[in-house]
Amino acid sequence: MNWLIPLSDIDFGPEESAAVLSVLESRWLTMGGVTQAFESEFSAYVGAKHSLAVSNCTAALHMACLAIGLGPGDEVILPALTFVATANAVRYTGASPVFADVTSERNLNISPESIEQRITPKTRAIIVVHYGGYPCDMPRIMEIAKKNNLYVIEDDAHAIGSELDGIKLGNWGDISCFSFFSNKNMTTGEGGMITTNDDGFAEKLRLFRSHGMTTMTWDRHKGHAWSYDVVELGYNYRIDEIRAALGRVQLGKLDANNIRRRSLVQQYREALQELTPEIIVPFEDHPGISAAHIMPILLPVGTDRTRFMESMKANGIQTSIHYPPIHHFTAYQNITDAILPVTEDVVQREVTLPLYPSLSDEDVVLVAKTIREVLALPA
Ligand SMILES: Cc1ncc(COP(=O)(O)O)c(C=O)c1O
């Protein structure tokens, strides 16, 4: 499909090509010096003590669940309004996801009240998802966690560069997981990062990432080790030097691109307020700084969403849905008794509009005008 305005686009240029070429020419492709440099730059950016680059955010979430010791019989509270990977990671360990509701139609983040209602003696952890990059109420959630002796994992897939109270997201919870998938604010194609300020977790995560081995091929190449022991049941969740090189360049562009994203969101808000005030644009005046990963709107109650999206498509504008909620999926039918009134409402009305740094100011106006025309079409 040749979209006039696609949903998302990457910001790749000659710098990314040069970085990849230089790795190829170095003849060292698996985790090595470039990955180490990427990890320290990411730690400096987020402010976290430890950063480990991994093959994707799903792997990071799985390792986070393993590191806090989840297993059969344990429960983890998380929103149903997220990508399925957030809940799958819990299930990989044998633990059970328990879905909490989101706050309101204007705040699509997990509700602290709903978290409290879902706590049982089996609850071990909370996974927060900063929807669209807008920070969850971390002071409240950390307080609930402390009071109930729960771990907090941050799913920061949308939130690279987001901040709350002057603290970058990825620093609030015990362990945080980032995605560099191709539609994310910075991308390596597939890729991710896991961060923590806890030395013990960092040590475990390092083992999980690479088969539970005590030394790496890189250490042996550098002449630092001859052999290794295997001390954990680990995985191969490593990144490679090619992706790490892309990540370093993309991290350098992140702040400027996030500023552009936030400016586009503001322009959308103004254009939609003027042209289609019946549409809700969530997260207005939301606390903190958002990475503005996606541009969600809520259609008026009763609007035929599929027809709306089809009409936008007929005008060359790509839209999407974030998300079909997890508890509606066939693979989740038998494992949840979730009653989530706010989630049930918003998942019927949410539509995601195009958002990426090279989207033009004129594109935003065109999208808003097209929405007005499409909403005015006779039923
Ligand atoms: C909220 C959320 N969590 C987890 C993931 C999984 O990330 P990855 O594709 O890097 O495994 C995504 C990716 O789209 C996501 O949006």
Side-chain angles (χ1 to χ4, degrees):
M1 176 88 194
N2 217 352
W3 298 102
L4 179 66
I5 306 182
L7 186 69
S8 67
D9 197 10
I10 57 172
D11 174 13
F12 268 26
E15 321 77 75
E16 279 80 4
S17 306
V20 167
L21 265 183
S22 103
V23 169
L24 299 185
E25 284 159 8
S26 79
R27 306 186 66 74
W28 187 266
L29 304 183
T30 57
M31 274 194 342
V34 181
T35 303
Q36 282 173 357
F38 182 33
E39 291 174 343
S40 10
E41 287 158 12
F42 199 88
S43 276
Y45 180 79
V46 169
K49 188 168 178 195
H50 303 280
S51 295
L52 282 86
V54 290
S55 37
N56 53 60
C57 181
T58 308
L61 287 162
H62 182 200
M63 296 202 311
C65 291
L66 291 168
I68 62 169
L70 292 181
D74 295 333
E75 291 180 355
V76 177
I77 299 174
L78 69 156
L81 189 65
T82 177
F83 185 58
V84 68
T86 320
N88 282 350
V90 173
R91 289 180 71 190
Y92 296 157
T93 67
S96 303
V98 172
F99 296 114
D101 211 349
V102 293
T103 308
S104 72
E105 60 181 10
R106 294 181 185 274
N107 178 353
L108 307 182
N109 280 333
I110 193 165
S111 144
E113 287 79 22
S114 182
I115 292 176
E116 279 187 306
Q117 286 160 10
R118 306 294 276 162
I119 292 172
T120 74
K122 293 180 179 172
T123 310
R124 295 282 313 282
I126 302 164
I127 306 184
V128 297
V129 179
H130 308 288
Y131 184 107
Y134 296 89
C136 292
D137 186 349
M138 294 313 292
R140 268 292 289 291
I141 292 170
M142 295 313 293
E143 200 182 293
I144 295 169
K146 200 168 166 203
K147 200 168 98 194
N148 293 281
N149 204 18
L150 307 175
Y151 291 111
V152 175
I153 296 171
E154 281 183 62
D155 180 336
D156 285 298
H158 295 191
I160 313 180
S162 296
E163 280 183 42
L164 182 62
D165 297 346
I167 300 170
K168 282 245 161 58
L169 301 189
N171 258 307
W172 286 83
D174 296 287
I175 303 178
S176 299
C177 305
F178 296 85
S179 173
F180 307 138
F181 181 64
S182 36
N183 62 7
K184 295 297 186 279
N185 289 31
M186 56 173 277
T187 181
T188 61
E190 298 279 358
M193 191 73 78
I194 188 161
T195 64
T196 181
N197 288 309
D198 181 290
D199 296 344
F201 284 145
E203 205 36 55
K204 281 188 186 172
L205 295 169
R206 207 172 290 286
L207 291 169
F208 289 137
R209 174 173 64 173
S210 195
H211 307 286
M213 289 161 67
T214 50
T215 69
M216 305 285 301
T217 317
W218 176 244
D219 301 318
R220 294 190 291 282
H221 175 73
K222 298 289 264 180
H224 297 159
W226 296 110
S227 186
Y228 56 85
D229 189 13
V230 171
V231 294
E232 274 281 0
L233 179 63
Y235 301 80
N236 179 353
Y237 282 167
R238 296 185 300 256
I239 201 165
D240 57 59
E241 294 284 269
I242 301 162
R243 289 183 175 83
L246 285 173
R248 292 185 71 191
V249 181
Q250 288 275 291
L251 184 60
K253 295 179 171 180
L254 182 67
D255 277 345
N257 279 340
N258 282 358
I259 288 171
R260 174 70 187 150
R261 284 172 178 276
R262 285 193 287 276
S263 153
L264 288 164
V265 169
Q266 194 46 36
Q267 292 179 51
Y268 263 126
R269 283 188 193 285
E270 285 161 18
L272 292 170
Q273 177 59 38
E274 191 189 321
L275 297 171
T276 57
E278 66 272 38
I279 274 182
I280 288 179
V281 184
F283 298 111
E284 184 155 23
D285 299 325
H286 194 78
I289 299 174
S290 173
H293 171 53
I294 51 172
M295 181 65 217
I297 59 167
L298 297 192
L299 298 176
V301 175
T303 310
D304 181 336
R305 180 171 60 178
T306 308
R307 191 161 167 266
F308 174 87
M309 293 176 75
E310 284 293 344
S311 304
M312 294 299 284
K313 179 178 168 185
N315 283 280
I317 298 170
Q318 188 182 12
T319 58
S320 175
I321 296 171
H322 288 86
Y323 288 92
I326 299 177
H327 65 297
H328 288 187
F329 291 136
T330 308
Y332 276 79
Q333 287 302 295
N334 298 326
I335 67 152
T336 169
D337 59 352
I339 299 168
L340 310 168
V342 186
T343 304
E344 300 296 355
D345 173 42
V346 300
V347 298
Q348 293 175 49
R349 296 162 58 205
E350 194 277 338
V351 172
T352 306
L353 304 180
L355 184 63
Y356 46 91
S358 61
L359 187 73
S360 71
D361 299 0
E362 294 71 34
D363 289 338
V364 169
V365 174
L366 179 62
V367 174
K369 281 187 174 155
T370 310
I371 293 173
R372 185 180 60 181
E373 283 161 24
V374 165
L375 285 180
L377 290 175

